[in-house]
Amino acid sequence: MTVSMETLQKYAKLAIQTGVNLQKGQGLLINAPIEAVEFVRIIAKEAYETGAKNVHIEWNDGDLTFEKMKHATMEVLENFPKWRADGLTEMAKDDYAVLTVYGENPDLLKGIEAERISAVNKAGAIALSEYRDYMMNDKIRWSIVGYPTSGWAEKVFPDVSPEAAKDKLWDQIISIARVDQQNPMDAWDKHNETLKQAREFLNKKQYKKLIYKAEGTDLTIELPEHHIWHGGAATSAKGVRFNPNMPTEEVFTMPHKYGVNGTVSSTKPLSYGGNLIDNFTLTFKDGKVVDFSAEQGEEALKHMLDTDEDGARRLGEVALVPHESPISQSGIIFYNTLFDENASCHLALGKAYPTNIKDGSNMDTEEMDKHGVNDSLIHEDFMIGSAELNIDGETKDGKLEPIFRNGTWAIPFE
Ligand code: ZN
Ligand code: ZN
């Protein structure tokens, strides 16, 4: 790789300090593609130097995943090993920080039947639900950083040599994650401050509804009472700051699971379990998807929507991202949710983050339902932002106020 050692060290330091904010004596779990081994060694070294008591790596490899998905019996695919789920949950219970180095090839599972993919996704979601709860409730600190695997780089830059594609993707990742700035950690502090202003404005307003209008989109999203907007740095249950996604450009909250009506059209492709779903439209009635179509990947979309009883057909997240965000300005489609979701206003089908509503982390299933908090085995972001998107907020007394105009913020910033 041609990215310099110095840059990789800056990136690793940013992930450990600003990302998971690793504390002395804490354990670190890293999920990473085996292709990223050099970078992971640098991260592990940084973690130990910061005082990590242990660094545990869960390796993955695209080619091996493909072979298994192609050949293993359904019985194997439908059974996520208990020892593996137990191990991960044990680390979460022991307050390990979790850092995911992410660079999935969007076409990895091309040609694998949708039934097989959804069986694996479902088994994993069920087996890892306790482990995932630690993260979705910010009980432990976690972060995701991008890494340009060859498969991903070649998908994003198909017209140059594989080596050049990887270099080009490195350049993008380094710049989007602000690693190329004089002091990346200061740059992140400044960025977090802007996101904080936006979320505090929206939290004070407590809009009753958001109304989306753009070509192919006419959608009303009701927000539950006492919803909370988050964005930028989060605070863990132990009161320690961390940055869950690097990059992140969004402020987000939860929709009311029974209060979404109208039609929304995607503006970027969605990579779901190694399959691309593109140019799709969803129609909602009382919160539930009652009609859908897709120019590409309709079968995969159907399987995703049918993952569970009806949670996968309802929304769990509504996120605002200005169209002039650095990722959007790059003009590149990354085929990777971590990057594409931060280029664009988006929604997520499936589970809501309990932290997006007052006392959400203490609600049982019944209370969640009563407050409009969606639960599901999936949480899948899809992109709906564009330079044409207008969003209004409806106040409690029925007044409409502009939140987004022509794809960007229409609220006052200091
Ligand atoms: Zn989001
Ligand atoms: Zn999301």
Side-chain angles (χ1 to χ4, degrees):
M1 55 192 155
T2 52
V3 60
S4 75
M5 190 58 159
E6 194 199 334
T7 301
L8 287 178
Q9 278 163 348
K10 270 170 91 177
Y11 192 20
K13 191 168 178 174
L14 184 70
I16 291 298
Q17 311 290 342
T18 302
V20 295
N21 195 0
L22 194 77
Q23 308 287 300
K24 224 171 142 54
Q26 194 184 7
L28 176 68
L29 162 61
I30 303 176
N31 299 300
I34 213 153
E35 200 183 325
V37 61
E38 279 183 70
F39 179 46
V40 172
R41 285 188 189 126
I42 298 169
I43 299 174
K45 185 163 181 275
E46 177 68 30
Y48 280 122
E49 282 168 7
T50 302
K53 71 170 177 186
N54 181 35
V55 179
H56 175 88
I57 325 284
E58 284 285 306
W59 296 110
N60 55 70
D61 178 73
D63 291 347
L64 293 175
T65 302
F66 181 82
E67 291 306 320
K68 180 167 178 172
M69 290 300 296
K70 195 173 157 190
H71 297 287
T73 63
M74 271 311 265
E75 199 200 334
V76 167
L77 299 182
E78 281 166 353
N79 285 290
F80 191 95
K82 186 173 176 300
W83 59 266
R84 215 173 140 224
D86 287 350
L88 295 170
T89 309
E90 196 178 291
M91 283 186 271
K93 278 185 182 156
D94 192 23
D95 196 35
Y96 271 56
V98 180
L99 179 66
T100 299
V101 176
Y102 187 69
E104 189 180 73
N105 175 357
D107 287 332
L108 179 66
L109 300 182
K110 220 175 178 171
I112 305 281
E113 293 97 321
E115 287 87 356
R116 295 173 72 79
I117 298 171
S118 83
V120 166
N121 288 343
K122 192 169 171 176
I126 294 169
L128 296 174
S129 67
E130 191 182 0
Y131 167 69
R132 196 180 49 165
D133 260 12
Y134 273 88
M135 278 181 275
M136 285 195 86
N137 288 294
D138 293 343
K139 284 189 210 161
I140 53 171
R141 299 194 300 287
W142 55 280
S143 192
I144 308 176
V145 296
Y147 179 89
T149 60
S150 328
W152 178 26
E154 286 160 37
K155 174 76 184 178
V156 181
F157 300 106
D159 300 327
V160 298
S161 73
E163 297 74 39
K166 205 166 167 171
D167 286 348
K168 278 171 89 104
L169 190 50
W170 256 129
D171 285 348
Q172 288 298 326
I173 291 174
I174 291 302
S175 133
I176 287 166
R178 298 175 168 79
V179 180
D180 59 348
Q181 311 241 343
Q182 252 305 326
N183 184 331
M185 291 193 275
D186 284 354
W188 270 88
D189 284 345
K190 219 175 116 208
H191 175 52
N192 278 328
E193 182 53 38
T194 308
L195 294 171
K196 188 175 158 204
Q197 279 193 29
R199 76 172 188 240
E200 285 183 348
F201 176 88
L202 292 165
N203 280 333
K204 220 174 274 164
K205 285 284 182 183
Q206 282 291 309
Y207 287 114
K208 212 173 147 22
K209 283 176 190 166
L210 303 177
I211 298 151
Y212 285 67
K213 293 229 157 73
E215 210 190 306
T217 291
D218 188 349
L219 187 74
T220 301
I221 298 176
E222 195 186 314
L223 302 177
E225 246 185 284
H226 306 301
H227 62 269
I228 298 168
W229 289 87
H230 288 296
T235 306
S236 73
K238 289 201 166 148
V240 181
R241 251 168 69 116
F242 68 106
N243 274 277
N245 288 334
M246 306 186 91
T248 184
E249 305 286 336
E250 61 173 345
V251 297
F252 63 100
T253 190
M254 66 166 71
H256 194 292
K257 70 182 271 196
Y258 297 118
V260 184
N261 284 286
T263 296
V264 66
S265 295
S266 69
T267 53
K268 280 176 194 284
L270 164 64
S271 168
Y272 175 65
N275 261 312
L276 274 188
I277 307 172
D278 202 5
N279 288 325
F280 60 98
T281 299
L282 304 174
T283 301
F284 290 86
K285 192 174 182 301
D286 299 330
K288 188 171 168 175
V289 174
V290 288
D291 197 14
F292 64 91
S293 65
E295 272 175 31
Q296 189 190 337
E298 194 171 275
E299 189 61 17
L301 176 61
K302 183 180 183 303
H303 275 280
M304 183 172 96
L305 292 169
D306 291 338
T307 305
D308 49 26
E309 195 145 333
D310 83 348
R313 285 186 177 245
R314 297 183 187 274
L315 295 182
E317 179 189 346
V318 45
L320 304 176
V321 180
H323 192 66
E324 76 267 13
S325 86
I327 304 172
S328 179
Q329 286 312 298
S330 74
I332 296 165
I333 293 176
F334 287 91
Y335 304 98
N336 176 316
T337 301
L338 175 63
F339 285 78
D340 291 328
E341 76 156 340
N342 283 303
S344 175
C345 280
H346 56 272
L347 304 171
L349 285 162
K351 189 175 169 65
Y353 288 93
T355 50
N356 280 133
I357 192 166
K358 196 173 154 235
D359 294 328
S361 299
N362 301 320
M363 288 179 189
D364 59 26
T365 316
E366 207 173 301
E367 279 173 304
M368 275 170 63
D369 187 68
K370 211 180 84 195
H371 287 87
V373 182
N374 195 32
D375 197 11
S376 171
L377 292 172
I378 67 161
H379 176 98
E380 280 301 325
D381 290 304
F382 62 97
M383 279 46 88
I384 60 163
S386 67
E388 284 77 46
L389 177 64
N390 291 331
I391 306 171
D392 281 339
E394 189 182 311
T395 61
K396 288 217 166 82
D397 43 19
K399 222 173 73 196
L400 291 183
E401 295 178 348
I403 298 176
F404 258 56
R405 282 296 174 266
N406 301 316
T408 194
W409 289 111
I411 66 169
F413 280 95
E414 273 164 36

